Amino acid sequence: MKTPGIIHRRRMRLGAIAAAAVTALTAGLIGAVGAQAAQGCEVDYKVTGQWSGGFNANVQVTNLGEPVNTWDLEWTWADGQRVTRMWNAENKSESASAKASSLGYNAALATGGSTSFGFTGSWSGANTDPTEFRLNGRLCDGSVGEPTTPPTGPVTAMEQVAAMQPGWNVGNTLDALGGETGWGNPLITEELLQTVKAEGYNSLRLPVTWDENLGPAPGYTIDPAWLDRVAQVTDMALANDLQVLLNIHHDSWMWMSAMPTDHDGVLSKYEAIWTQIAERFKDYPSELSFESINEPQFTDTEPAAGDALVHELNVAFHEIVRGSGGNNEGRLLVMPTLVTSADQPQLDALKATIDSLEDPMIAATVHMYGPWPFSVNIAGGTTYSEQVEQDITSTFERVHDTFVADDIPVIIGEWGVLGYDWTRPIVPSQQYGELLKFFEGMTFQARDKQMTLMLWDAGSYLNRDTLEWRDPLVQSYMDSGVTTRSGTASFDSIYLEKAGTIADESLTLNRNGLEFEGLWQGDTALAEGDDYTVEGDTLTLTAAALTRLAGDRAYGTNATIEARFSDGLSWRIHIITYDTPQLSDVSGAVNAFAIPTEFNGDQIATMEAKYADGTYAGPHDWTSFKEFWATYRPDYTAGSIGLTADFFNAVREGESVTLTFHFWGGGTVDYTVTKTGTTVTGTSA
């Protein structure tokens, strides 16, 4: 967990201090909860770090009364603090009334038993400690008194999936071809999993590709060393309070896609794998769940036929696991749609499968990377527009109405944006503020529609060599979004032309249900009236304030200010000085062509490519707007714009192509390229 600017450390103990050390006890997710006898408790509340507007805290609760099998801890703050994110407990807080509820693994507390959880909170003015806590409704004052009866009954699939929020994929590792490190990631270690847990993740999706570790037909025996390694990682995750979702991963396209033409062979192999997995893990606790197959897909098959094959695989998976005995009889099973699509026909097909099985411990899974044009920056999809937001909202609504509304939980098994790739010098493909809006919107929709998100991370978010998050602000938006909203604005930058006269500039606030509380530069509040005005949702910075913030007006970012809201994260606004970029003539090879460019403080939003007759040039000739990185690659440090060989391979010989570069400062620049054999000639307009 990040603790920026720790200012002080304090602790508060409520109730008698136990003479001996106490041990946190855990229990499985599934089990009856009975009425309790005499109750009592004490709480150790400790602020572990505090900074402007936020703080971290750890809470240890000790049960002094009769054993409890589930618990709720409630408290209030006198100064209006709020919980923004919580780990090792489910956050059920409302405003200044805080409530933490047990998860499956820490629900049971014996007499003298204790457990701990942590949270990040927001504050303003003061950060006074709470004066009292209540465990299952009873005051924690160190005494033992009248009983309180907590909710009774077994944990449901909905409750288990809710306790998995948020989740994290250890991608491109056990699912990699060529071994665990075959795709460039290091071995999974306990330190890695502890880092993930400390960030607040509650579950680990463990993608595993099995094909390279199988013996021949008909047994398809899994290499014992490979199965041991999968079990070892599962054990480490469970030991660190991470639920685990184990699956069959890239096998879906490696051999399972041939099911339409090799039905019996594929089904036999699939059943052999799941029979062995089920046997190996049948006595594991219920915190381990199984996912039948990742992104099932079939060669040359129409969607309806594909739906039928997915149904057959899911049913076979269900029969094998349930029939294997042990804890598999009631284990949570997760089933995908065809290619984990959220299109309504595929949702309906999976819903019919789940209904037919009449099994309450089944969850559905789909994947969401946002609408493709935005996710990779193609076809002009450069901003988190109303259309992008509506696409995401509609997707969540469809999935909710199909499953969640009928008490079938949903796991978004993979989510993120496809253009967020740490192997590129420029990350992300999207404009940075627009990316943050995407994360804010996705986490809100998941919370609003009661779904669990599992971030797909193949190394782009968490640096597995240093165990540091590559972009703390991006991670903060995902962290914060689990419990609250953050305000944004129509854009995260104000561009000031270097040669122009500075005038008032306006942005539109996206309050997201919050109150706007002002603008700040560091610890200094800007003055409403003199520096900015707010009319409705229109925020206007005055010419005087912009002149001061721009300073000597050097190219690039001159200052960054924050728009603060009543909850969530502040919205950063960058004051940028620029002039129209200048592109120079050049000749070069098709596979190494780069346009010399003076960016003059500006950056590229997108690139269009057209022939003289107006038709579209380059790959994806259904749109004039080309895909970022796949076709054009700005290098702001070197001062160039590279065009890829893939772009020129899709360009007609000897015909001039007009490239129109769109920049975030609002301007466009045209440039002409002509391919002749393996050589390209580029000319500025």
Side-chain angles (χ1 to χ4, degrees):
M1 172 63 199
K2 300 181 294 295
T3 53
I6 294 179
I7 296 174
H8 68 286
R9 184 177 288 265
R10 66 183 182 221
R11 66 185 285 158
M12 178 185 68
R13 188 72 170 237
L14 297 182
I17 300 177
V22 293
T23 304
L25 302 179
T26 62
L29 280 163
I30 300 174
V33 179
Q36 269 68 50
Q39 288 192 349
C41 49
E42 62 182 15
V43 170
D44 186 2
Y45 177 94
K46 185 192 313 178
V47 172
T48 57
Q50 182 172 302
W51 58 94
S52 177
F55 68 102
N56 291 329
N58 187 75
V59 181
Q60 177 174 288
V61 55
T62 300
N63 177 36
L64 302 179
E66 294 296 315
V68 297
N69 289 344
T70 186
W71 53 265
D72 294 313
L73 187 71
E74 299 177 81
W75 69 94
T76 59
W77 281 292
D79 302 315
Q81 299 98 312
R82 296 184 180 184
V83 174
T84 58
R85 186 172 67 87
M86 186 176 289
W87 53 94
N88 296 337
E90 182 180 359
N91 181 25
K92 294 184 178 179
S93 306
E94 295 182 3
S95 299
S97 297
K99 183 177 181 180
S101 296
S102 59
L103 301 176
Y105 61 83
N106 62 8
L109 290 177
T111 303
S114 68
T115 190
S116 298
F117 62 90
F119 65 87
T120 298
S122 63
W123 67 282
S124 60
N127 189 17
T128 307
D129 295 327
T131 58
E132 67 176 38
F133 291 81
R134 291 183 178 273
L135 181 68
N136 290 344
R138 192 184 189 282
L139 180 65
C140 292
D141 59 2
S143 65
V144 178
E146 292 300 315
T148 301
T149 302
T152 61
V155 170
T156 66
M158 288 288 291
E159 290 168 336
Q160 180 169 351
V161 170
M164 297 168 81
Q165 169 74 340
W168 184 79
N169 278 267
V170 58
N172 285 13
T173 312
L174 290 180
D175 58 313
L177 305 186
E180 187 172 346
T181 61
W183 286 352
N185 279 310
L187 296 172
I188 300 168
T189 64
E190 188 157 22
E191 291 77 14
L192 169 68
L193 301 180
Q194 289 169 344
T195 300
V196 171
K197 181 62 182 180
E199 184 63 27
Y201 288 98
N202 290 312
S203 59
L204 178 78
R205 185 169 180 255
L206 188 59
V208 180
T209 300
W210 301 88
D211 184 68
E212 291 183 331
N213 295 282
L214 299 178
Y220 298 108
T221 301
I222 300 172
D223 181 352
W226 183 249
L227 197 53
D228 285 347
R229 177 56 177 160
V230 174
Q232 182 185 36
V233 173
T234 302
D235 291 341
M236 288 192 298
L238 294 173
N240 285 281
D241 294 333
L242 287 164
Q243 288 197 57
V244 176
L245 177 58
L246 176 64
N247 77 357
I248 295 179
H249 205 76
H250 292 303
D251 303 81
S252 61
W253 57 263
M254 292 177 66
W255 53 269
M256 202 174 299
S257 59
M259 193 172 180
T261 56
D262 184 21
H263 176 276
D264 293 350
V266 166
L267 187 60
S268 175
K269 189 173 182 178
Y270 176 79
E271 290 176 338
I273 294 172
W274 268 118
T275 297
Q276 294 171 82
I277 297 172
E279 179 62 27
R280 176 60 183 264
F281 293 101
K282 69 180 181 181
D283 294 324
Y284 269 61
S286 53
E287 288 85 0
L288 171 65
S289 51
F290 295 150
E291 176 188 4
S292 61
I293 181 66
N294 173 73
E295 297 182 353
Q297 52 200 274
F298 306 101
T299 305
D300 298 327
T301 303
E302 293 298 318
D307 290 334
L309 294 174
V310 173
H311 168 80
E312 189 172 2
L313 292 172
N314 280 332
V315 169
F317 160 72
H318 181 267
E319 291 177 350
I320 290 167
V321 176
R322 287 291 183 253
S324 61
N327 291 334
N328 287 342
E329 294 180 0
R331 190 178 306 284
L332 179 70
L333 303 182
V334 181
M335 298 181 179
T337 59
L338 179 67
V339 295
T340 54
S341 166
D343 290 344
Q344 193 61 55
Q346 280 60 62
L347 300 178
D348 290 341
L350 179 58
K351 178 62 161 54
T353 298
I354 295 174
D355 286 346
S356 71
L357 294 173
E358 298 182 339
D359 184 334
M361 289 303 294
I362 294 179
T365 185
V366 296
H367 294 174
M368 293 188 191
Y369 286 97
W372 183 59
F374 174 80
S375 197
V376 302
N377 190 348
I378 192 175
T382 58
T383 65
Y384 188 74
S385 62
E386 290 185 9
Q387 182 179 357
V388 170
E389 185 173 39
Q390 183 56 49
D391 183 283
I392 292 170
T393 300
S394 298
T395 300
F396 273 98
E397 287 176 347
R398 287 196 307 274
V399 177
H400 173 275
D401 292 349
T402 304
F403 297 111
V404 180
D406 200 25
D407 290 328
I408 299 170
V410 172
I411 296 172
I412 310 300
E414 294 180 17
W415 78 285
V417 289
L418 298 174
Y420 199 96
D421 185 348
W422 71 276
T423 64
R424 301 173 179 176
I426 297 178
V427 180
S429 302
Q430 300 75 20
Q431 196 273 345
Y432 191 68
E434 302 304 296
L435 178 78
L436 297 180
K437 292 180 195 176
F438 170 84
F439 286 128
E440 200 284 330
M442 283 285 290
T443 52
F444 165 70
Q445 287 295 328
R447 188 172 73 256
D448 186 59
K449 301 302 187 299
Q450 300 171 269
M451 299 179 202
T452 287
L453 292 172
M454 291 186 163
L455 177 70
W456 177 259
D457 189 359
S460 288
Y461 298 95
L462 177 60
N463 185 328
R464 299 192 201 164
D465 293 315
T466 66
L467 298 183
E468 295 176 332
W469 298 96
R470 296 183 188 276
D471 189 324
L473 184 58
V474 165
Q475 196 62 34
S476 293
Y477 268 85
M478 289 188 280
D479 292 348
S480 177
V482 173
T483 56
T484 190
R485 296 219 69 174
S486 294
T488 68
S490 52
F491 201 50
D492 75 346
S493 302
I494 293 176
Y495 278 83
L496 304 174
E497 191 172 6
K498 189 178 181 72
T501 301
I502 294 178
D504 294 355
E505 298 284 347
S506 296
L507 298 170
T508 301
L509 295 172
N510 303 318
R511 300 174 188 264
N512 292 331
L514 306 174
E515 295 297 322
F516 173 71
E517 294 188 340
L519 294 179
W520 293 71
Q521 185 181 20
D523 294 329
T524 302
L526 274 64
E528 186 170 5
D530 293 334
D531 294 330
Y532 69 92
T533 62
V534 180
E535 294 186 9
D537 288 330
T538 301
L539 168 66
T540 301
L541 276 84
T542 65
L546 291 171
T547 299
R548 183 180 74 249
L549 293 167
D552 62 4
R553 303 185 70 179
Y555 285 138
T557 300
N558 305 136
T560 297
I561 59 178
E562 293 183 348
R564 296 185 180 176
F565 297 84
S566 55
D567 207 347
L569 300 174
S570 300
W571 180 251
R572 297 182 182 181
I573 302 170
H574 309 286
I575 311 303
I576 298 173
T577 294
Y578 82 104
D579 273 330
T580 302
Q582 302 295 315
L583 280 61
S584 300
D585 297 351
V586 71
S587 294
V590 165
N591 60 358
F593 183 79
I595 305 168
T597 305
E598 295 179 29
F599 288 99
N600 296 335
D602 214 339
Q603 294 193 346
I604 295 176
T606 187
M607 179 190 81
E608 289 187 89
K610 297 179 181 179
Y611 293 110
D613 61 4
T615 57
Y616 305 149
H620 303 297
D621 59 5
W622 49 270
T623 175
S624 64
F625 292 93
K626 304 294 102 174
E627 181 178 349
F628 177 88
W629 202 257
T631 58
Y632 65 97
R633 302 178 178 183
D635 187 332
Y636 298 109
T637 301
S640 65
I641 303 171
L643 300 179
T644 67
D646 286 344
F647 172 76
F648 286 115
N649 288 339
V651 168
R652 297 197 291 261
E653 179 84 10
E655 290 194 43
S656 295
V657 177
T658 297
L659 307 176
T660 301
F661 293 99
H662 296 251
F663 291 88
W664 288 114
T668 60
V669 176
D670 287 342
Y671 192 86
T672 301
V673 293
T674 305
K675 181 180 75 172
T676 306
T678 60
T679 301
V680 178
T681 301
T683 307
S684 59

